[in-house]
Amino acid sequence: MIVAIDEESLAQFGRWPWNRQIHANFLEKLTQANPRGILFDVLFVEPSANKLDDEVLARVINKTPNLVLPLLLMPTNERIGFDGELNVLKPIFPQVATGHIAVSTDMDGVVRRMRLRYQQGNQSFNALGLQLLMLGEAEQYKSVLRQRAQAIEASGGVYGLPLNVPKGGYMTISYRNIVNGEVSADFLRDKYILVGATALGLGDQFTTPVSGQDGTVSGIEIHANLIDGLKNGWVIQTVNTWYLLALPIVLLMFAFLLITSI
């Protein structure tokens, strides 16, 4: 289930970024419903202006099971991209599990894939959605996930996102509904809760093959598709464009040889 930081939530809580005590209150109420896991796609890589706000949020985070927060990977050289040396900005809350949120954009500006893991020295950074599954699934199923991730890594490490759910296709409720106590605990229990921005003004928007006439898809929906695909064993195999370009030439040469041999 997606919990959206949407226009209605911005209207209630004001301009972004919000006071971190709002997030603390949100997580406290969400945790009471015993969800299976929480992916909270909000960056907390810098302290807030009020130290007390961070302390309040830190106490709640430490009591929230199966919570994952994003870390920020930044290439040190734009020409090399994410394949070179990376600057890693981690959340200011060291106890929490983390995952990366770096999507791979093709030359046409469309997002079709995402690297499941980045390795730098002795550190590895799982994609945020994969990290959530590794926390929330039963131990027997975690071994299946590891096998799927290893198979993808063996073929280059880039996961072809299924993207088989259109924009707005996942069950979605507003962030403000949780804070206002408008959603029953039974409705949230044992679900994966994915929290992220859907409001257009917050900028977390990407073009994908399923964007259609709507233009873009929110980043949190991309995480949902990745989790959906990994859980169900779905993957899109990308055809090498070299073969697509070469195939007509090969067919023409073969036809020419047939004609000349007659």
Side-chain angles (χ1 to χ4, degrees):
M1 174 183 293
I2 290 175
V3 175
I5 299 173
D6 54 9
E7 285 80 2
E8 289 78 10
S9 299
L10 291 173
Q12 177 170 336
F13 300 114
R15 293 179 60 186
W16 188 265
W18 294 333
N19 184 296
R20 290 182 179 176
Q21 295 203 34
I22 294 174
H23 294 308
N25 182 28
F26 167 84
L27 280 175
E28 277 189 318
K29 291 187 175 181
L30 185 56
T31 302
Q32 291 171 6
N34 295 317
R36 182 177 296 192
I38 303 170
L39 184 154
F40 203 89
D41 188 17
V42 174
L43 287 168
F44 298 110
V45 296
E46 294 180 348
S48 64
N50 188 337
K51 185 179 178 181
L52 177 62
D53 295 339
D54 289 338
E55 292 174 353
V56 171
L57 182 55
R59 285 197 293 270
V60 174
I61 283 175
N62 292 340
K63 295 187 294 184
T64 304
N66 295 346
L67 170 69
V68 293
L69 292 181
L71 51 80
L72 190 60
L73 298 181
M74 301 177 62
T76 56
N77 187 323
E78 292 183 3
R79 289 177 299 176
I80 297 174
F82 290 101
D83 293 327
E85 189 73 16
L86 300 172
N87 287 326
V88 183
L89 298 180
K90 296 183 178 181
I92 62 172
F93 311 110
Q95 299 88 349
V96 71
T98 59
H100 79 80
I101 51 174
V103 297
S104 299
T105 304
D106 291 338
M107 292 182 66
D108 59 358
V110 177
V111 172
R112 299 180 177 88
R113 54 209 172 91
M114 190 172 187
R115 189 177 291 275
L116 286 185
R117 181 178 293 115
Y118 284 98
Q119 189 78 30
Q120 183 159 284
N122 59 358
Q123 297 185 89
S124 63
F125 311 104
N126 287 338
L128 195 62
L130 173 60
Q131 190 65 39
L132 178 70
L133 291 176
M134 295 305 293
L135 291 177
E137 292 296 320
E139 196 60 43
Q140 181 180 1
Y141 189 71
K142 287 179 186 178
S143 63
V144 175
L145 279 174
R146 292 190 189 98
Q147 291 172 6
R148 289 175 182 169
Q150 288 169 0
I152 292 167
E153 285 195 0
S155 60
V158 178
Y159 178 63
L161 294 163
L163 295 170
N164 59 333
V165 178
K167 180 175 181 175
Y170 285 101
M171 186 183 300
T172 303
I173 58 176
S174 177
Y175 184 106
R176 63 182 291 277
N177 295 145
I178 302 292
V179 177
N180 297 341
E182 299 168 347
V183 183
S184 71
D186 289 340
F187 190 62
L188 301 170
R189 187 170 293 116
D190 203 35
K191 287 185 173 68
Y192 283 119
I193 308 297
L194 280 59
V195 186
T198 62
L200 291 177
L202 297 185
D204 191 23
Q205 300 287 325
F206 301 92
T207 303
T208 73
V210 297
S211 299
Q213 296 180 348
D214 295 325
T216 57
V217 166
S218 64
I220 199 67
E221 291 178 276
I222 292 178
H223 294 308
N225 272 278
L226 182 141
I227 291 168
D228 212 3
L230 287 177
K231 277 183 65 65
N232 291 285
W234 300 331
V235 63
I236 300 298
Q237 298 291 341
T238 303
V239 177
N240 192 317
T241 55
W242 184 88
Y243 293 106
L244 294 178
L245 294 172
L247 183 59
I249 299 172
V250 172
L251 290 175
L252 283 171
M253 292 177 63
F254 183 70
F256 178 77
L257 289 172
L258 281 177
I259 292 170
T260 57
S261 63
I262 296 174

